[in-house]
Amino acid sequence: MLKIKTPKTHRAKREIEKRAPKFVENGKKTLILHGTKTSDVLNTVLTQIYHLKRDNAVKYTKKNENIRPFESGGETSLEFFSLKTDCSLFVFGSHSKKRPNNLVLGRMFDHHIYDLVEVGVENFRPIESFEYDKKLTPRIGSKPFFAFIGEGFESVEELKHLKEVLLDLFRGEVVENLNLAGIDRVFVCTALSSSTVFLTHCALRLKRSGTAIPRMELVEVGPSMDLAVRRHRLPNDSLKKEAMKTTSEQPKKKIKNVSSDVLQGKIGKIYIPDQKVGGITLSSDVKGLKRERREAKKRKVGIENEAKKRKTASD
Amino acid sequence: MDLGNLMASDPTHHFESVPSSRQELTRACLETGTELVQAIANAVFALPSTDDPDGPIVRLPPPTTTLPREKHLPKPKPPTKWELFAKMKGINKHKKDKRVFDEQTGTWKRRHGYDRVNDDKDIPIIEAKLSDEPGEDPFSKRKAEKKQRVEKQEKNQLQNLKQAAKAGALPSHVQLAATALPITGTNGEAPKKASKEELQNVAGMAATATASGGKFDKKLPGEKPAKHAGKYRKFLPVVEGKGMSSQEKQQTAKILDQLMNKSSHGMLDVNKAVTMFNVKKEKQRKKEKEHKTSSAASKLKPKKKSLKKSSKKKH
């Protein structure tokens, strides 16, 4: 016996539809959490990543002892959290003697683990340690620039993977229109060796140059750290194929207010709102007003002349 | 260079000598970073821009680096039974008006909802046809038919949703939930759901099964106290009056009545029985009195003829 369950309120329905699979997806949300033991450094790293991604990240504060991303059974909690918060990226921090300052960056597909990169944080410098002009602080939610330096990002398997994950993590929403005044920040990643990447977050200062294109200046602002790639897990081929699928066909867009007639061809409907005749404010430089003022002046002059004439006449 | 993601990578950069200090490293990275960012900015500013009060807006091209999706692509839902039938027969959908002319009342009414067209409430008289049986109520027949139609529709809806769920294309706001397990085995009747009162009684019974009669059990919040307070014997007060309402008299009278009622067969006239009993008793007393007094005195007295019916029976 099956029963049809639908949400009872419109709000609940809207929330469910937001989370449904779509052709063009929403921006990915990030889940930031940590395991049983974390170091000071790691805590700061997690909070600063959260600050960088304020709008679309969720930070959990409790310890999670049963999460072990690389083990087969230790992923269930992560998948459950991902389902509940609708997050498809996660950053899991833990600290142990064998793997100090460990960060696991992972992605989910359909709320199941897609791929993982385990990275160790070294030489971390928090935002507070940088001195810069506060006016340059990048705003939350601005689209960042990315600069990947080094041949390692093309040749080494692990670095290629890390590049993809970092891009996904810090990209933000995919937008069609970009406001050029809102270019604030840049992530610079340099491959120091085949297993270490130097990541830093800088603010952009646009300087006046001769041409229409401003000159860029980088000012180190945000956290900077060395990421040492430890382990990584690539997705299976079938899963990868499934996730990379895109359809060229877009869902049919409904064209409103257009109809076609046999006699007249294509007809469109235009709706004009009512004019608020009583509420229109008159602007100061209307031609009619100028003319009024001119005429008023003429009249005044005429009266004065008459007065003068009368005076002379009376005299 | 990926304009859609505002990303640039420089694979050709090499560190001639590994920078010794951290500062050197950062400086070198920032330099190369600046070059890359400048290159992206040149490309981005070169795109056609539209003016906006906030700043120039530029249309970015779609990103070239493909990143995996968050959720699977939505699958197209299979056509419903009606849709298949309509396609086969060539029936097209026509847009329906919200207002329809109601023949019954002669006014314009809504098609669905409050005050609708063809509502059963509006029919005052149903004329009888020759085929109608005399005992039937046509109004309730109409209601029953409508109920059947609605049930059929719901069944069809459920079937369509099940088909869609099989194809993996259930609409996001609908969930199919199992209400009860399918009926299998010898026990055909489904176990009846216990009512609230029954559950309360059972809980009470279980409580009194303890040695102390459930008196000291911790009560859950919301649990009502036991119906029978636990006192099963009623002791009469030691000192009481002898009037009509004395409890002892009432108690004994009650017991007596119950006994009498049990043994009686219902055909006993209590009053008659009482008078017969009294009369017999009087006679016995008289006889005893006569025996006590002398026998001579009795000879002089005329023998009373017994008026009893049983004496007449002899002849």
Side-chain angles (χ1 to χ4, degrees):
Chain A
M1 284 297 293
L2 289 173
K3 193 174 76 158
I4 303 172
K5 269 172 80 176
T6 44
K8 300 286 177 211
T9 53
H10 282 292
R11 189 173 176 204
K13 187 170 175 204
R14 271 180 270 139
E15 289 298 314
I16 291 180
E17 299 213 320
K18 264 191 215 170
R19 297 189 176 193
K22 297 174 196 155
F23 279 109
V24 177
E25 293 189 314
N26 312 333
K28 294 190 184 181
K29 289 209 282 197
T30 320
L31 180 64
I32 303 174
L33 34 57
H34 60 263
T36 20
K37 197 163 163 222
T38 41
S39 57
D40 238 354
V41 171
L42 206 58
N43 281 334
T44 347
V45 172
L46 291 174
T47 39
Q48 304 224 324
I49 294 180
Y50 178 60
H51 284 316
L52 284 179
K53 294 191 58 124
R54 205 48 184 286
D55 269 341
N56 53 359
V58 177
K59 185 164 188 289
Y60 279 179
T61 44
K62 275 172 92 169
K63 294 189 194 191
N64 303 294
E65 39 181 48
N66 54 349
I67 294 183
R68 283 172 227 283
F70 278 90
E71 282 166 43
S72 58
E75 326 174 311
T76 45
S77 267
L78 267 177
E79 293 181 355
F80 177 71
F81 291 144
S82 154
L83 186 65
K84 284 291 165 182
T85 57
D86 194 32
C87 288
S88 53
L89 290 163
F90 68 87
V91 176
F92 176 72
S94 67
H95 178 78
S96 71
K97 208 157 170 197
K98 190 174 171 190
R99 296 178 223 274
N101 295 337
N102 203 24
L103 267 188
V104 180
L105 311 168
R107 291 187 285 190
M108 302 270 195
F109 178 69
D110 258 351
H111 303 296
H112 294 296
I113 294 206
Y114 178 72
D115 65 0
L116 305 160
V117 180
E118 191 176 47
V119 135
V121 175
E122 289 149 18
N123 298 325
F124 174 69
R125 279 190 67 194
I127 298 175
E128 291 80 35
S129 68
F130 291 102
E131 288 166 6
Y132 54 91
D133 187 11
K134 297 297 174 196
K135 279 187 240 164
L136 295 171
T137 334
R139 277 180 294 210
I140 291 173
S142 58
K143 196 148 168 74
F145 277 69
F146 285 95
F148 289 97
I149 306 167
E151 50 160 18
F153 284 119
E154 307 291 313
S155 52
V156 183
E157 199 43 62
E158 294 169 323
L159 294 189
K160 267 202 282 190
H161 195 193
L162 184 61
K163 174 180 174 187
E164 219 185 281
V165 173
L166 283 175
L167 188 63
D168 222 345
L169 191 62
F170 291 115
R171 180 162 70 145
E173 288 224 21
V174 182
V175 286
E176 239 187 50
N177 303 323
L178 178 71
N179 188 352
L180 293 176
I183 297 177
D184 274 294
R185 48 167 102 210
V186 62
F187 283 96
V188 180
C189 313
T190 324
L192 296 175
S193 70
S194 65
S195 65
T196 354
V197 166
F198 169 58
L199 169 72
T200 174
H201 174 238
C202 310
L204 282 179
R205 188 193 280 166
L206 305 160
K207 280 193 149 171
R208 209 179 288 275
S209 77
T211 56
I213 303 167
R215 201 157 60 85
M216 297 289 173
E217 201 181 287
L218 265 65
V219 177
E220 255 202 295
V221 161
S224 84
M225 56 190 109
D226 277 355
L227 304 172
V229 179
R230 288 181 186 150
R231 292 189 280 185
H232 76 130
R233 192 204 282 177
L234 290 168
N236 338 346
D237 278 333
S238 59
L239 198 57
K240 186 162 185 184
K241 227 169 76 172
E242 183 73 36
M244 294 295 207
K245 254 197 229 180
T246 46
T247 43
S248 51
E249 56 169 62
Q250 293 282 58
K252 283 184 289 183
K253 276 210 156 177
K254 215 173 164 183
I255 306 172
K256 291 174 110 176
N257 299 324
V258 172
S259 58
S260 56
D261 197 12
V262 185
L263 293 171
Q264 293 167 318
K266 202 172 179 184
I267 308 176
K269 259 193 208 172
I270 304 175
Y271 295 96
I272 307 177
D274 293 331
Q275 264 191 318
K276 291 201 191 85
V277 185
I280 305 173
T281 53
L282 299 165
S283 67
S284 53
D285 50 63
V286 169
K287 233 182 177 173
L289 275 184
K290 260 196 188 162
R291 201 187 302 142
E292 250 184 50
R293 243 185 262 150
R294 226 186 304 137
E295 282 178 357
K297 248 195 212 166
K298 254 196 232 163
R299 259 184 270 131
K300 217 161 88 182
V301 169
I303 291 166
E304 276 180 20
N305 283 346
E306 270 205 34
K308 278 191 192 157
K309 275 190 196 158
R310 253 189 267 132
K311 269 195 183 166
T312 49
S314 63
D315 282 348
Chain B
M1 191 158 66
D2 182 3
L3 268 186
N5 277 327
L6 298 176
M7 181 180 85
S9 47
D10 181 12
T12 56
H13 177 91
H14 283 287
F15 284 112
E16 288 91 28
S17 60
V18 176
S20 45
S21 77
R22 190 90 193 146
Q23 279 178 335
E24 293 256 337
L25 178 69
T26 48
R27 210 170 47 78
C29 292
L30 286 189
E31 259 181 51
T32 340
T34 324
E35 284 169 31
L36 285 172
V37 170
Q38 193 66 54
I40 309 175
N42 291 343
V44 166
F45 277 84
L47 292 169
S49 69
T50 54
D51 261 323
D52 207 56
D54 294 329
I57 293 190
V58 145
R59 248 190 107 113
L60 287 177
T64 45
T65 40
T66 47
L67 291 167
R69 279 176 65 96
E70 191 180 25
K71 295 176 184 132
H72 61 269
L73 278 171
K75 295 191 186 101
K77 69 172 196 175
T80 60
K81 269 183 90 176
W82 166 254
E83 280 174 5
L84 286 170
F85 178 77
K87 203 170 168 190
M88 185 181 72
K89 289 276 184 177
I91 303 169
N92 290 331
K93 270 201 254 189
H94 293 291
K95 188 138 185 180
K96 296 190 172 95
D97 291 327
K98 269 195 194 164
R99 284 202 169 275
V100 188
F101 188 72
D102 184 17
E103 293 298 334
Q104 194 57 242
T105 52
T107 53
W108 286 88
K109 290 198 176 179
R110 312 196 161 89
R111 187 182 286 272
H112 307 287
Y114 173 75
D115 190 31
R116 59 176 171 267
V117 136
N118 291 336
D119 201 0
D120 277 346
K121 288 193 295 185
D122 293 331
I123 304 173
I125 300 168
I126 301 179
E127 290 182 18
K129 291 194 285 222
L130 286 172
S131 55
D132 275 346
E133 284 178 27
E136 264 178 8
D137 179 14
F139 294 101
S140 52
K141 205 168 133 187
R142 277 180 76 100
K143 266 195 187 172
E145 277 175 9
K146 176 156 188 182
K147 202 168 173 192
Q148 264 195 340
R149 270 181 277 138
V150 168
E151 271 178 22
K152 180 172 180 282
Q153 175 59 20
E154 296 211 344
K155 194 167 69 102
N156 288 346
Q157 249 183 350
L158 187 61
Q159 285 302 322
N160 283 331
L161 283 174
K162 272 202 219 168
Q163 284 289 84
K166 215 161 70 163
L170 198 60
S172 55
H173 58 275
V174 174
Q175 271 183 314
L176 288 177
T179 47
L181 294 169
I183 299 170
T184 51
T186 50
N187 200 5
E189 207 184 84
K192 207 177 77 156
K193 241 185 161 180
S195 69
K196 193 168 156 183
E197 281 142 20
E198 274 181 32
L199 282 172
Q200 278 178 347
N201 288 343
V202 166
M205 274 194 256
T208 52
T210 53
S212 54
K215 217 160 131 186
F216 302 106
D217 286 344
K218 228 187 236 173
K219 283 234 176 319
L220 292 167
E223 200 182 318
K224 292 194 188 135
K227 245 200 301 195
H228 198 123
K231 214 175 163 187
Y232 289 88
R233 281 204 71 178
K234 190 177 166 190
F235 291 106
L236 296 169
V238 175
V239 177
E240 210 195 356
K242 274 197 231 167
M244 274 288 286
S245 58
S246 78
Q247 284 177 342
E248 192 175 342
K249 212 173 186 178
Q250 279 181 351
Q251 203 178 42
T252 41
K254 193 170 157 193
I255 296 170
L256 192 64
D257 281 336
Q258 280 177 347
L259 282 171
M260 296 297 281
N261 285 337
K262 264 196 195 160
S263 61
S264 75
H265 296 280
M267 287 156 62
L268 177 70
D269 185 0
V270 180
N271 290 330
K272 199 170 185 183
V274 164
T275 36
M276 278 173 86
F277 181 76
N278 285 341
V279 160
K280 230 185 185 173
K281 226 181 175 176
E282 289 279 333
K283 283 222 167 126
Q284 252 187 344
R285 248 189 262 138
K286 268 191 183 165
K287 266 193 179 169
E288 281 172 18
K289 257 190 184 171
E290 279 177 10
H291 277 285
K292 276 184 190 170
T293 55
S294 59
S295 56
S298 69
K299 278 178 189 172
L300 289 170
K301 276 187 186 169
K303 252 198 174 169
K304 269 190 187 167
K305 260 193 181 176
S306 64
L307 295 157
K308 265 179 149 181
K309 275 186 190 169
S310 52
S311 55
K312 285 181 185 168
K313 261 188 192 174
K314 282 177 186 172
H315 49 260

